[in-house]
């Protein structure tokens, strides 16, 4: 079973940057597409970014395009989310997820989820 552990969240000022990491189980990481999702307080979980197995295909939500960058290092079994120009609306819990299929933007496609890491952006 794939296990995912997020880290790197914290408190930052608006305009600042954070890099989130998601460490995956070594056995199947390279077989999975990975995604990042955001859940703001009192809101539903939303797609942020995803990356294909090879790292070539990387869809982004319109709200983060140009600010966030998803990447992966298959040698370390880790996927990253570099978040720049952070805004207060970026505040919330960020979840890492894995799918054996394509890196879709829809939650049902992701079978495995991490515990989440909190990001708080002050104005």
């Amino acid at each position: 079973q794939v296990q995912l552990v997020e880290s790197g969240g914290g408190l930052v000022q608006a305009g600042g940057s954070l890099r989130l990491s998601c460490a995956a189980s070594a056995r199947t990481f390279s077989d999975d597409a990975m995604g990042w999702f955001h859940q703001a307080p009192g809101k539903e979980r939303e797609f942020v970014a995803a990356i294909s197995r090879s790292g070539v295909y990387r869809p982004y939500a319109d709200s983060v395009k140009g600010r966030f960058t998803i990447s992966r290092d298959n040698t370390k079994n880790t996927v990253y989310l570099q978040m720049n120009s952070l805004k207060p609306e970026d505040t919330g819990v960020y979840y890492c997820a894995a799918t054996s299929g394509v890196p879709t933007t829809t939650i049902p496609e992701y079978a495995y989820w991490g515990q989440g890491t909190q990001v708080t952006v002050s104005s």
Side-chain angles (χ1 to χ4, degrees), residues 88-104:
E89 51 262 46
D90 295 321
T91 292
V93 178
Y94 285 78
Y95 296 91
C96 177
T99 176
S100 60
V102 297
T104 68

Side-chain angles (χ1 to χ4, degrees), residues 2-6 21-32 34 36 51 53 71-80 96 98:
V2 176
Q3 296 182 15
L4 306 172
V5 180
E6 302 97 332
S21 298
C22 174
S25 57
R27 299 175 187 173
T28 61
F29 179 77
S30 62
D31 296 329
D32 297 328
M34 306 294 296
W36 284 99
I51 186 167
R53 298 170 182 83
S71 61
R72 67 190 297 162
D73 185 344
N74 289 347
T75 67
K76 296 182 178 180
N77 302 313
T78 301
V79 63
Y80 305 95
C96 177

